[in-house]
Amino acid sequence: MRKKVLIVDDSTTIRLQVRAALDGDDFEVLEACDGVEGADSIERIADLAAVICDVNMPRMTGLEMLETVKKNNGHASLPVVMLTTEGHYELIQRAKAAGAKGWLVKPFKPELLLAAIRKLTSA
């Protein structure tokens, strides 16, 4: 059975790149275009295996989304990997404190993203 992974990014190109890296036998890739849509998807989809999330997005940033969904005990163990152009120490620390399990910088290597998600979901 394929595991559901949600990619939350306002860039259609990045969503397509992540889908190309993950979509296949192991994973079913779902998409959200910003933090508001991402948070809603996390609440609606009970069997998500992991979330890959950008930081800078309209309406709600990835960090705000992470902090919001991690407050819900039902999502405390949901693995979230931040995938962003940002590399500031303060942002990385904020994401870790909010419960992010990883931080990858764009442009990303598809094989590294796949390995990280496989490890986090034990796929």
Side-chain angles (χ1 to χ4, degrees):
M1 185 169 158
R2 297 185 332 158
K3 295 180 180 181
K4 293 180 183 175
V5 176
L6 176 66
I7 171 67
V8 184
D9 200 304
D10 58 320
S11 167
T12 303
T13 302
I14 294 297
R15 292 195 312 267
L16 288 171
Q17 289 173 345
V18 170
R19 178 178 293 281
L22 299 183
D23 213 9
D25 293 339
D26 293 339
F27 301 106
E28 175 185 349
V29 179
L30 308 170
E31 298 181 18
C33 63
D34 62 35
V36 172
E37 192 176 301
D40 179 58
S41 295
I42 291 167
E43 292 302 320
R44 278 187 303 100
I45 305 166
D47 58 345
L48 276 177
V51 176
I52 301 165
C53 186
D54 187 16
V55 171
N56 297 313
M57 295 181 288
R59 297 201 304 161
M60 179 187 283
T61 70
L63 290 173
E64 292 167 341
M65 186 202 80
L66 176 66
E67 291 164 345
T68 299
V69 299
K70 287 295 187 169
K71 287 178 186 172
N72 177 337
N73 286 335
H75 304 299
S77 64
L78 178 65
V80 177
V81 173
M82 306 307 289
L83 178 63
T84 180
T85 57
E86 297 288 347
H88 300 292
Y89 178 78
E90 299 80 19
L91 292 176
I92 296 169
Q93 290 308 111
R94 181 176 166 193
K96 277 180 144 178
K101 297 293 182 194
W103 187 282
L104 294 172
V105 177
K106 298 174 190 172
F108 67 96
K109 291 188 164 122
E111 62 275 11
L112 293 180
L113 178 64
L114 179 59
I117 295 302
R118 279 195 172 139
K119 182 176 180 180
L120 289 170
T121 62
S122 300

